[in-house]
Amino acid sequence: MCATAASGKELLQVAVVDQDGRQVMKELVQPSSEVLDYRTELTGITAEQLRGVTTTRKAAAARVAQLLQPGTVLVGHSLHYDLQALQLDHQPVIDTALLFSYE
């Protein structure tokens, strides 16, 4: 997530791995409004990396939705933020934020 002028926070990248840790999807996403802070120290993403990226949030969400089957268990840290950013709703989830905190 980056800080933007219009909506406060926007998606920068989507990454999905399978149950064996193999990368299924990793895609940069072009924010729809001006980026104020890429939060590179957390995201690892810079303005240079986004040059030429045309994938929208909606397109990235559609790709993720295609991967989600009924009964697919999503595992991640603070998943509600990811699902909110993608504007997706999915259950079941295992949220590691309940087990480990970020400091």
Side-chain angles (χ1 to χ4, degrees):
M1 301 287 281
C2 64
T4 61
S7 56
K9 294 180 185 177
E10 287 192 51
L11 192 65
L12 279 178
Q13 180 173 254
V14 176
V16 178
V17 297
D18 66 14
Q19 66 271 16
D20 297 316
R22 290 183 298 239
Q23 183 175 298
V24 175
M25 174 185 173
K26 185 172 183 183
E27 193 156 347
L28 291 172
V29 177
Q30 186 63 250
S32 62
S33 60
E34 177 190 4
V35 176
L36 302 176
D37 184 359
Y38 287 91
R39 297 183 176 142
T40 302
E41 68 281 358
L42 296 173
T43 66
I45 299 169
T46 64
E48 292 78 30
Q49 290 173 293
L50 281 183
R51 284 199 186 100
V53 171
T54 59
T55 303
T56 63
R57 182 221 40 91
K58 188 174 182 178
R63 285 199 57 207
V64 171
Q66 287 178 338
L67 296 172
L68 298 175
Q69 302 297 315
T72 299
V73 179
L74 287 178
V75 180
H77 195 82
S78 298
L79 279 173
H80 64 283
Y81 291 117
D82 300 317
L83 292 171
Q84 185 178 40
L86 289 165
Q87 296 180 4
L88 291 175
D89 186 24
H90 182 78
Q91 294 292 328
V93 300
I94 296 174
D95 198 328
T96 60
L98 300 172
L99 304 171
F100 308 102
S101 65
Y102 170 79
E103 295 183 28

